[in-house]
Amino acid sequence: MNNHVTEHFLYDAIKTVDMDVPPPVKVGACRALSQLLPDATSGIIHHHALDLFSSLVDLLKNASEETMHLVLETLLAAVKAGHGISASIEPILSPIMLNMWASHVSDPFISIDALEVLEVYIYLLAHP
């Protein structure tokens, strides 16, 4: 898939996550992001980074127990793909990840996913 098509699909998926649409549509957008982000160029990620992370964090704040895992996986893919923009997303990402980990420490799946996002994020900050 060429960069223009990838950018178009990424943009649409990012906007869909932020729209007032039924949860299954947001789940589909998260799945699309998880698959598209690893192959996206850094320019595309940098251009949409603020919208991407803001919409995913907002979705995570309102996610049901069933969708938290998927949103955290999508955030992990976004953090990995956004290597180089880590410092600019810190005020958006760190508070919610720490809160998610602390409030779900008894749920091994959610707390491990939140911790993994934090670990990758911290590693990328330390190794630009």
Side-chain angles (χ1 to χ4, degrees), residues 21-34:
V21 294
V25 176
K26 291 185 182 216
V27 166
C30 283
R31 287 188 177 140
L33 286 169
S34 292

Side-chain angles (χ1 to χ4, degrees), residues 25-55:
V25 176
K26 291 185 182 216
V27 166
C30 283
R31 287 188 177 140
L33 286 169
S34 292
Q35 291 185 0
L36 292 170
L37 284 168
D39 297 328
T41 63
S42 62
I44 294 170
I45 304 298
H46 288 239
H47 184 67
H48 298 295
L50 188 57
D51 289 337
L52 172 63
F53 286 98
S54 295
S55 62

Side-chain angles (χ1 to χ4, degrees), residues 46-108:
H46 288 239
H47 184 67
H48 298 295
L50 188 57
D51 289 337
L52 172 63
F53 286 98
S54 295
S55 62
L56 288 172
V57 165
D58 287 343
L59 180 58
L60 187 60
K61 289 177 185 175
N62 300 309
S64 66
E65 293 286 325
E66 295 82 26
T67 58
M68 274 186 204
H69 180 71
L70 176 64
V71 178
L72 288 167
E73 283 181 353
T74 307
L75 271 167
L76 181 60
V79 167
K80 288 178 179 178
H83 184 54
I85 58 165
S86 299
S88 64
I89 61 165
E90 191 277 328
I92 298 169
L93 191 62
S94 293
I96 188 70
M97 288 296 98
L98 289 171
N99 186 37
M100 188 63 50
W101 174 74
S103 61
H104 292 88
V105 74
S106 62
D107 183 333

